[in-house]
């Protein structure tokens, strides 16, 4: 034998992680003692209490028909339509035209006339000579200058935006589940051929168990306390395996799922609804979502006017800018220009053109000029608060002769309109969600009822002997888990690789490595080191489980009372003995967490802890120390061969105080009794 000092074990254990140092919970080491186990065996069936009495009078015919029909039919049809259409139309016209004429006329006319006359006369040598000369000069000069300029400026913008959503999606989902269970029971009693009443008696059937206290000699024993031992069994019983995928069937299968909540679309309340999440949620829940008026809405306006160049200040009101009923003006942006001439810099004689839009004044300032000039004004106004209904517009001017311009008014949807739209959409979505949730819950309830009925049917088909094996198997699994997990050992490893070799199915390939050897040694150790065949167990009631589970556990029923106790149990106590040959190996495992096999486990070895298959399947014998019987009621009934009848004369009375009271009241008590009679010939 190899003796390992405790100090060495503590040193080795300190190297392990904190979760793998072998701290057992729910497991008690009881030491070595005589292992005694009570074994039960069905001995016989005996009649119990009276369960039902059926009376049929003479010349009476009685018939009872019972029909039990359970039918569930669910049909769901969903149609959703959404229309989406975007239309944008923008028209812009720009024209520059400014009428201005400047004319300078300079006309010069110059005329000059010069004239002269010279005459000479005389006689020379008797000859009379006469000479006459005349000169005339005329000059005419004319000049004319003219300049004309014409320019027109105008801007016209038209914007039209229409958004329409039309998306037609028709989804028709028909889920039809029809489950019919019809049970027809017809019982008839025909006593029309006899003048005497007939009575039939049904009695419960009780089982008699023979109990034997068997001593299996001295063993190393462990006690396990397992909470709710039937938890995994009930879950596996309700498990529905997934259907294999058929490549030829490409249609997706509708899976039962809870409807999406409004929060999944970003809708926590009515104030959080916008056009995007409302459209997405409406499409999902199948409701028609009215469109919110689009924003921003742009309204354009242009103006132009020629005025007289007057000295006094003049005001002129233009038509109001109409704001649609669902909107309010948020801001306005534009520009205008005007022509002016003011020959003096004195403030009272300056030229100006001020604009008033809504309650906002746009000042142009004062200017002067001895000739005509043009001034441009840009403006950008944010309304606070926003303006609804209409925007009045007025110009106040002096010493100008024309002005023109344009603007764009940005409008937003009124808060009251948006709030009303959000509230309406939110109420529709809540109603649609509640409807889908109710439908989902009904479907789940139907599926649960179907599954529960199928589970009950499966349980009813389990024989009593198989139920004992189920109990032992679940308790054994829990016990092994409780001594494996403290050493970071797990059961249920994957030892196969899936190979897609045939297309329609995968072929498993075993992983041949050291992991398989270690796992196989672990399985062999825990299966053979303990005498699982002779373990003892006791089921404690439901009230040791979680309080919130009491209702579910209490409603677990079964015809087998032991199996019913297993399903209702809040805690199970299990007593397991260790094979004498494996006591040291088990203690070594609990100290170190390692599995010691004393060498390789091979056939025909001389190792003391090796267990052959024949020995593994052999039933362990023990010594019977005591024997007694136990009576357990069942749900079975049996017709009693001998019946009973009541003698004529009245009902029996067997209570002394009632007899004395009747004697005081001068009432004679009846001495009739209920007697058993042999069966008489009858047509019943």
């Amino acid at each position: 034998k190899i003796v390992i000092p405790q100090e060495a074990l503590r040193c080795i254990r300190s190297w392990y992680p904190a979760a793998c140092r072998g701290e057992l919970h729910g497991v008690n080491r009881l030491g070595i003692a005589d292992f005694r186990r009570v074994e039960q065996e069905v001995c016989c069936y005996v009649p119990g209490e009276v369960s039902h009495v059926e009376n049929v009078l003479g010349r009476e015919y009685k018939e009872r028909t019972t029909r039990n029909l359970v039918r569930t039919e669910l049909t769901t049809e969903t149609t959703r339509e959404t229309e989406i259409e975007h239309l944008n139309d923008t028209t812009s016209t720009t024209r520059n035209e400014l009428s201005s004429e400047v004319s300078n006329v300079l006309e010069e006319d110059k005329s000059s006339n010069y004239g002269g006359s010279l005459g000479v006369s005389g006689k020379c040598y008797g000859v009379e000579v006469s000479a006459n000369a005349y000169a005339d000069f005329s000059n005419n000069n004319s000049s004319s200058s003219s300049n004309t300029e014409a320019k027109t400026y105008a801007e016209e913008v038209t914007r039209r935006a229409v958004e329409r959503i039309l998306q037609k999606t028709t989804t028709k989902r028909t889920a039809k589940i029809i489950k019919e269970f019809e049970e027809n029971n017809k019982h008839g009693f025909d006593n029309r051929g006899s003048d005497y009443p007939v009575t039939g008696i049904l009695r419960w059937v009780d089982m008699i168990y023979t109990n034997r206290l068997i001593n299996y000699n001295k063993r190393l024993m462990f006690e396990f306390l397992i909470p709710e031992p039937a938890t995994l069994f009930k879950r596996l019983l309700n498990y529905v395996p997934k259907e294999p995928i058929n490549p030829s069937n490409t249609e997706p299968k509708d899976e039962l799922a809870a409807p999406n909540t409004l929060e999944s679309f970003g809708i926590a309340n009515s104030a959080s609804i916008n056009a995007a999440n409302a459209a997405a949620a409406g499409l999902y829940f199948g409701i028609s979502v009215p469109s919110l008026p689009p924003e921003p809405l742009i309204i354009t306006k242009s103006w132009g006017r020629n005025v007289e160049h007057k000295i006094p200040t003049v005001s002129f009101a233009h038509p109001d800018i109409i704001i649609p009923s669902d909107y309010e003006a948020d801001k306005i942006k534009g520009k205008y220009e005007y022509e002016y001439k003011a020959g003096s810099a004195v403030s009272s004689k300056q030229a100006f053109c001020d604009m008033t839009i809504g309650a906002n004044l746009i000042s142009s300032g004062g200017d002067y000029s001895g000739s005509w000039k043009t001034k441009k004004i840009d403006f950008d106004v944010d309304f606070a608060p926003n303006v609804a209904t209409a925007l009045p517009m007025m110009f106040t001017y002096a010493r100008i002769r024309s002005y023109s311009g344009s603007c764009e008014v940005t409008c937003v949807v009124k808060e009251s309109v948006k709030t009303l739209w959000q509230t309406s959409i939110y109420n529709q979505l809540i109603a649609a969600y509640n409807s889908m949730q109710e439908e989902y819950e009904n479907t789940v309830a139907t599926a649960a009822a179907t599954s529960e009925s199928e589970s009950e049917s499966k349980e009813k088909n389990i024989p009593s002997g198989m139920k004992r094996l189920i109990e032992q198997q679940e308790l054994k699994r829990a016990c092994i888990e409780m001594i494996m997990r403290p050493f970071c050992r797990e059961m249920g490893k994957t030892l196969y690789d899936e190979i897609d070799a045939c297309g329609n199915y995968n072929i498993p390939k075993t992983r041949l490595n050291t992991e398989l050897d270690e796992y196989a040694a672990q399985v062999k150790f825990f299966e053979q080191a303990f005498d699982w065949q002779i373990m003892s167990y006791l089921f404690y009631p439901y009230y040791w489980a979680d309080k919130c589970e009491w209702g579910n556990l209490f409603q677990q029923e079964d015809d087998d009372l032991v199996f019913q106790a297993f399903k209702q149990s809040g805690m199970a106590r299990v007593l397991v003995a260790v094979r004498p040959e494996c006591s040291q190996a088990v203690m070594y495992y609990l100290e170190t967490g390692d599995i010691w096999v004393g060498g390789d486990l091979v056939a025909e070895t001389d190792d003391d802890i090796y267990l052959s298959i024949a020995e593994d399947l052999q039933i362990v014998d023990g010594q019977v120390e005591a024997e007694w019987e136990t009576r357990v009621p069942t749900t079975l009934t049996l017709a009693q061969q001998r019946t009973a009848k009541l003698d004529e004369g009245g009902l029996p009375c067997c209570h002394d105080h009632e007899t004395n009271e009747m004697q005081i009241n001068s009432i004679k008590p009846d001495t009739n009794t209920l007697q058993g009679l042999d069966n008489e010939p009858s047509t019943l």
Side-chain angles (χ1 to χ4, degrees):
K1 296 181 180 180
I2 301 175
V3 179
I4 303 177
Q6 290 292 330
E7 295 297 332
L9 291 177
R10 295 190 187 98
C11 182
I12 295 174
R13 188 176 299 172
S14 64
W15 298 344
Y16 297 159
C20 306
R21 296 179 181 176
E23 296 182 3
L24 300 179
H25 301 280
V27 181
N28 299 321
R29 308 180 190 183
L30 301 181
I32 298 177
D34 288 336
F35 179 67
R36 291 181 174 86
R37 180 173 180 262
V38 177
E39 296 182 357
Q40 287 185 336
E41 182 183 1
V42 177
C43 177
C44 61
Y45 291 88
V46 296
E49 300 292 335
V50 175
S51 64
H52 182 67
V53 177
E54 186 69 40
N55 297 310
V56 183
L57 301 178
R59 303 295 181 177
E60 180 187 9
Y61 173 76
K62 181 185 295 185
E63 185 178 57
R64 177 184 300 169
T65 302
T66 303
R67 180 174 181 264
N68 186 8
L69 175 62
V70 177
R71 177 170 180 167
T72 302
E73 183 173 350
L74 175 63
T75 302
T76 303
E77 184 173 346
T78 304
T79 302
R80 302 171 183 173
E81 291 188 6
T82 306
E83 186 173 341
I84 302 177
E85 180 181 348
H86 296 277
L87 177 61
N88 293 322
D89 186 5
T90 301
T91 302
S92 178
T93 301
T94 302
R95 182 174 69 256
N96 294 313
E97 182 178 351
L98 178 60
S99 296
S100 176
E101 182 176 352
V102 179
S103 179
N104 290 326
V105 179
L106 180 58
E107 191 170 332
E108 183 177 353
D109 190 1
K110 186 176 181 182
S111 179
S112 299
N113 293 319
Y114 302 95
S117 177
L118 179 62
V120 179
S121 64
K123 289 181 178 182
C124 181
Y125 302 105
V127 179
E128 188 177 352
V129 178
S130 177
N132 193 8
Y134 177 77
D136 189 4
F137 174 78
S138 177
N139 183 12
N140 191 355
N141 188 2
S142 177
S143 175
S144 177
S145 175
S146 178
N147 184 10
T148 301
E149 180 181 359
K151 183 178 180 181
T152 300
Y153 172 78
E155 182 176 355
E156 179 181 355
V157 178
T158 302
R159 293 183 182 178
R160 179 172 175 242
V162 177
E163 180 177 354
R164 185 182 178 192
I165 300 179
L166 176 59
Q167 179 180 355
K168 187 173 183 180
T169 303
T170 302
T171 302
K172 185 174 182 181
R173 176 178 178 265
T174 302
K176 190 172 183 179
I177 301 175
I178 298 179
K179 177 189 174 183
E180 290 190 3
F181 173 77
E182 184 172 355
E183 180 180 359
N184 295 320
N185 297 320
K186 186 175 182 180
H187 299 277
F189 303 94
D190 190 355
N191 195 28
R192 290 176 291 185
S194 174
D195 295 334
Y196 300 97
V198 178
T199 301
I201 299 177
L202 298 179
R203 299 180 63 177
W204 296 110
V205 177
D206 296 340
M207 297 177 62
I208 302 297
Y209 283 93
T210 299
N211 304 299
R212 298 183 180 89
L213 179 63
I214 301 178
N215 189 343
Y216 289 96
N217 301 323
K218 294 186 180 297
R219 298 287 187 94
L220 175 62
M221 293 181 294
F222 289 86
E223 181 186 54
F224 298 86
L225 295 175
I226 304 172
E228 298 185 46
T231 300
L232 180 60
F233 165 74
K234 289 183 285 189
R235 292 185 180 182
L236 295 179
L237 194 65
N238 296 328
Y239 171 72
V240 178
K242 296 181 179 179
E243 297 182 0
I245 299 176
N246 186 4
S248 60
N249 185 11
T250 58
E251 295 182 0
K253 183 178 180 180
D254 294 336
E255 296 183 357
L256 184 62
N260 295 337
T261 60
L262 297 183
E263 287 76 8
S264 63
F265 296 95
I267 302 175
N269 47 43
S270 60
S272 60
I273 292 181
N274 53 47
N277 58 22
L283 184 62
Y284 176 79
F285 289 105
I287 64 174
S288 178
V289 178
S291 300
L292 185 68
E295 62 177 0
L297 176 66
I298 306 299
I299 300 176
T300 61
K301 185 177 179 60
S302 60
W303 60 88
R305 187 166 181 268
N306 296 324
V307 300
E308 296 182 5
H309 184 244
K310 293 183 179 181
I311 300 300
T313 300
V314 180
S315 297
F316 180 81
H318 286 266
D320 296 347
I321 301 176
I322 304 302
I323 307 300
S325 59
D326 293 339
Y327 293 89
E328 56 188 10
D330 180 55
K331 62 178 61 178
I332 184 171
K333 183 178 181 181
K335 58 185 177 180
Y336 70 94
E337 62 182 24
Y338 61 93
E339 290 182 281
Y340 69 92
K341 185 173 70 170
S344 175
V346 180
S347 59
S348 61
K349 295 183 179 180
Q350 290 183 346
F352 66 92
C353 184
D354 296 339
M355 177 182 180
T356 303
I357 184 76
N360 298 272
L361 174 63
I362 302 169
S363 177
S364 65
D367 299 285
Y368 68 96
S369 174
S371 61
W372 291 102
K373 289 186 177 181
T374 301
K375 187 175 182 179
K376 296 181 180 180
I377 305 297
D378 294 329
F379 58 90
D380 190 351
V381 178
D382 286 335
F383 297 110
N386 293 344
V387 180
T389 308
L391 280 174
M393 186 173 62
M394 184 177 65
F395 283 88
T396 302
Y397 51 85
R399 300 173 181 84
I400 68 171
R401 66 178 180 183
S402 65
Y403 63 88
S404 62
S406 64
C407 66
E408 290 184 354
V409 182
T410 302
C411 301
V412 296
V413 179
K414 291 181 179 178
E415 287 299 325
S416 59
V417 175
K418 185 180 296 185
T419 301
L420 181 62
W421 177 80
Q422 290 175 329
T423 304
S424 176
I425 297 301
Y426 186 75
N427 292 336
Q428 294 184 52
L429 292 177
I430 285 293
Y433 170 77
N434 292 336
S435 178
M436 293 182 66
Q437 181 67 18
E438 182 180 0
E439 178 184 348
Y440 166 74
E441 292 176 354
N442 293 337
T443 305
V444 170
T446 302
T450 304
S451 177
E452 182 179 358
S453 177
E454 293 176 354
S455 300
E456 292 178 356
S457 178
K458 292 179 182 178
E459 293 184 28
K460 290 181 180 179
N461 296 329
I462 300 176
S464 298
M466 182 63 70
K467 292 179 179 179
R468 299 291 85 76
L469 294 178
I470 292 175
E471 297 166 3
Q472 296 172 9
Q473 179 176 282
E474 288 302 305
L475 295 175
K476 176 182 176 181
R477 178 197 60 78
C479 292
I480 294 177
E481 180 185 7
M482 294 176 71
I483 57 178
M484 285 179 60
R485 289 182 58 186
F487 298 98
C488 294
R489 294 181 176 271
E490 297 291 339
M491 63 174 63
K493 288 188 176 181
T494 301
L495 301 175
Y496 285 96
D497 292 326
E498 299 291 338
I499 300 177
D500 188 4
C502 300
N504 294 332
Y505 56 88
N506 297 335
I507 298 177
K509 181 181 179 181
T510 307
R511 298 177 182 174
L512 302 178
N513 50 25
T514 56
E515 182 182 6
L516 175 60
D517 296 334
E518 295 175 357
Y519 192 70
Q522 174 179 280
V523 171
K524 202 169 186 180
F525 174 77
F526 289 106
E527 288 288 342
Q528 297 181 357
F530 298 87
D531 271 332
W532 299 109
Q533 295 180 356
I534 59 173
M535 68 176 178
S536 299
Y537 52 90
L538 178 64
F539 299 119
Y540 292 143
Y542 66 92
Y543 48 74
W544 295 113
D546 183 10
K547 293 181 179 180
C548 298
E549 294 294 326
W550 287 1
N552 296 331
L553 294 176
F554 188 79
Q555 295 181 6
Q556 299 290 327
E557 297 180 355
D558 196 89
D559 296 337
D560 191 323
L561 297 182
V562 178
F563 199 67
Q564 177 175 320
F566 166 67
K567 295 193 296 183
Q568 292 182 347
S569 176
M571 184 75 70
R573 179 190 176 194
V574 182
L575 192 64
V576 182
V578 180
R579 284 199 313 115
E581 299 85 356
C582 299
S583 298
Q584 295 180 2
V586 171
M587 295 302 297
Y588 176 78
Y589 168 78
L590 296 178
E591 292 293 338
T592 64
D594 295 331
I595 296 176
W596 176 56
V597 294
D600 296 334
L601 287 181
V602 294
E604 305 301 333
T605 183
D606 294 334
D607 292 337
D608 293 336
I609 67 171
Y610 173 73
L611 187 66
S612 65
I613 295 180
E615 293 173 337
D616 196 0
L617 298 177
Q618 185 178 3
I619 299 176
V620 182
D621 295 330
Q623 182 180 359
V624 179
E625 294 184 346
E627 184 174 343
W628 69 95
E629 292 182 349
T630 303
R631 185 168 183 157
V632 179
T634 67
T635 58
L636 304 176
T637 58
L638 188 67
Q640 181 176 291
Q641 182 179 4
R642 296 185 61 197
T643 184
K645 77 172 184 178
L646 187 65
D647 291 342
E648 296 179 358
L651 295 175
C653 181
C654 57
H655 299 289
D656 294 338
H657 67 280
E658 294 180 358
T659 303
N660 296 334
E661 184 178 356
M662 294 174 64
Q663 290 177 351
I664 294 174
N665 297 329
S666 300
I667 300 177
K668 183 179 181 181
D670 196 348
T671 58
N672 295 327
T673 60
L674 189 65
Q675 300 175 353
L677 301 176
D678 295 332
N679 286 345
E680 298 179 356
S682 175
T683 58
L684 179 62

